[in-house]
């Protein structure tokens, strides 16, 4: 059985079995849960369906969070994507989906926390875009979630997925790494290419702080989900082109954890530093919770 202690283990197991990481994780999870593979696959298919529903809900132009800080931006991005944008309709659509799922979360909608609620838009933003824009098979999309899940479990076991412990690099960084690996394998990459994609995504978000304005998972969290999609896509593209990370994925995970431990408490989800402590950030906090919460 897989221990999910290293990316190297995931790659080696898949290579020895002559299969993908997705299939290795699916088979392992079925064995560990004492279920048929079909039953475990069906559970993951349900999660994909929730992702699709949250993306649709988040596209509502009238959607707003209780705080009033977020809502409606995904609809704007979708309209813009239909015109092509700078990066083309696929990339702009992926950004729109990431925003939509994150805005659905902020408005207390049902989402899949993959790996956290604060980073919930990144994986759907990538996988749903391939499913809905490029017509990949639904089964392939579900398997991609197993790839993402395997990588996520390793990151959680080796380091952390919590912004309170490691900053946003542990949330959006991990989500981007999971999505990059899943996208690389979904588009025909090898297990090693998926690992390189994971590593490159993590490297590009080292040091990302967690500084939610007013303590809410909205500003700047939602827009960081959109940026995380771009990092995931670019990392997968580089890996599929044959570009390798000079630092192995497992060492990138360890580095992320060490960086997270070095971050001051003010930059780890306490809303005491970063954007949360700017004049506008404090004004928004007073606007939502009242003047008694003015202090940092």
């Amino acid at each position: 059985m897989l221990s999910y202690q290293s990316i190297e283990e995931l790659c080696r197991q898949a290579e020895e079995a002559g299969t993908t990481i997705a299939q290795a994780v699916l088979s392992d999870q079925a064995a560990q849960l004492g279920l048929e593979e079909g039953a475990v696959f069906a559970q993951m298919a349900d999660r994909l369906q929730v992702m699709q529903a949250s993306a649709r809900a988040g596209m509502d132009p009238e959607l707003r969070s209780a705080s009033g800080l977020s809502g409606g931006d995904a609809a704007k991005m979708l309209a813009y994507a239909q015109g092509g944008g700078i990066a083309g309709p696929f990339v702009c659509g992926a950004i729109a989906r990431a925003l939509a799922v994150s805005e659905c979360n902020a408005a207390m909608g049902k989402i899949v926390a993959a790996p956290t609620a604060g980073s919930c838009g990144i994986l759907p933003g990538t996988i749903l875009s391939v499913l809905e824009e490029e017509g990949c098979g639904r089964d392939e999309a579900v398997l991609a979630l197993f790839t993402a899940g395997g990588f996520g479990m390793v990151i959680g076991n080796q380091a952390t997925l919590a912004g309170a412990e490691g900053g946003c690099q542990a949330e959006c960084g991990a989500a981007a790494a999971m999505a990059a690996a899943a996208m690389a394998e979904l588009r025909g990459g090898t297990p090693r290419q998926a690992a390189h994609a994971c590593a490159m995504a993590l490297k590009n978000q080292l040091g990302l702080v967690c500084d939610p304005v007013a303590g809410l998972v909205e500003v700047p969290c939602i827009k960081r989900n959109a940026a995380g999609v771009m990092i995931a896509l670019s990392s997968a593209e580089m890996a599929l082109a044959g570009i390798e990370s000079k630092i192995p994925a497992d060492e990138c995970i360890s580095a992320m954890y060490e960086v997270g431990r070095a971050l001051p408490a003010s930059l780890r989800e306490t809303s005491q530093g970063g954007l949360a402590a700017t004049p506008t950030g404090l004004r928004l906090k007073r606007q939502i919770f009242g003047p008694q919460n003015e202090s940092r």
Side-chain angles (χ1 to χ4, degrees):
M1 288 187 177
L2 290 166
S3 68
Y4 302 99
Q5 292 298 321
S6 73
I7 302 302
E8 175 62 30
E9 177 198 24
L10 290 183
C11 291
R12 186 175 62 252
Q13 289 273 46
E15 289 168 345
E16 289 176 357
T19 188
T20 62
I21 289 173
Q23 186 58 55
V25 172
L26 170 58
S27 298
D28 176 77
Q29 288 297 292
Q32 291 202 33
L33 294 170
L35 298 172
E36 296 293 329
E37 286 189 16
V40 178
F41 187 92
Q43 291 176 351
M44 190 67 86
D46 288 342
R47 292 179 176 88
L48 179 64
Q49 189 170 2
V50 172
M51 288 180 177
Q52 287 184 295
S54 59
R56 286 194 299 270
M59 293 294 184
D60 181 355
E62 303 302 319
L63 182 71
R64 295 293 183 274
S65 65
S67 70
L69 288 178
S70 64
D73 285 343
K76 293 176 184 176
M77 194 67 210
L78 181 63
Y80 175 77
Q82 291 168 350
I86 297 170
F90 177 83
V91 171
C92 290
I95 293 172
R97 290 179 179 88
L99 292 172
V101 176
S102 296
E103 289 184 336
C104 177
N105 173 62
M108 300 300 168
K110 184 178 181 180
I111 54 96
V112 177
T116 66
S119 60
C120 65
I122 296 173
L123 188 56
T126 53
I127 302 302
L128 294 182
S129 294
V130 178
L131 176 64
E132 296 174 4
E133 298 291 337
E134 296 193 345
C136 91
R138 191 169 188 82
D139 286 357
E140 293 176 277
V142 174
L143 284 171
L145 296 181
F146 281 100
T147 307
F151 278 80
M153 282 192 281
V154 171
I155 295 171
N157 286 334
Q158 268 201 44
T160 180
L161 299 169
E165 187 176 7
C168 197
Q169 58 163 9
E171 293 202 26
C172 284
M178 293 163 61
M183 284 292 287
E185 195 166 78
L186 179 60
R187 303 303 289 167
T190 66
R192 296 290 168 179
Q193 286 176 317
H196 286 302
C198 167
M200 288 186 277
L202 277 176
K203 289 194 298 186
N204 279 288
Q205 294 195 75
L206 282 183
L208 183 60
V209 303
C210 184
D211 52 351
V213 169
L216 302 173
V217 187
E218 297 184 64
V219 179
C221 319
I222 291 174
K223 294 180 180 67
R224 283 183 181 159
N225 274 257
V229 164
M230 298 298 291
I231 289 172
L233 291 173
S234 61
S235 298
E237 295 280 36
M238 286 190 286
L240 290 170
I243 298 171
E244 298 183 351
S245 172
K246 300 301 182 185
I247 308 298
D250 288 310
E251 293 181 32
C252 290
I253 295 170
S254 296
M256 183 269 281
Y257 187 49
E258 291 302 316
V259 169
R261 292 176 64 188
L263 289 175
S266 62
L267 300 177
R268 286 188 277 123
E269 210 171 341
T270 59
S271 299
Q272 295 177 342
L275 297 176
T278 61
T280 298
L282 293 173
R283 175 180 60 78
L284 290 171
K285 182 179 180 180
R286 292 193 300 271
Q287 178 180 307
I288 297 166
F289 295 114
Q292 67 272 20
N293 288 291
E294 183 172 354
S295 67
R296 296 186 183 184

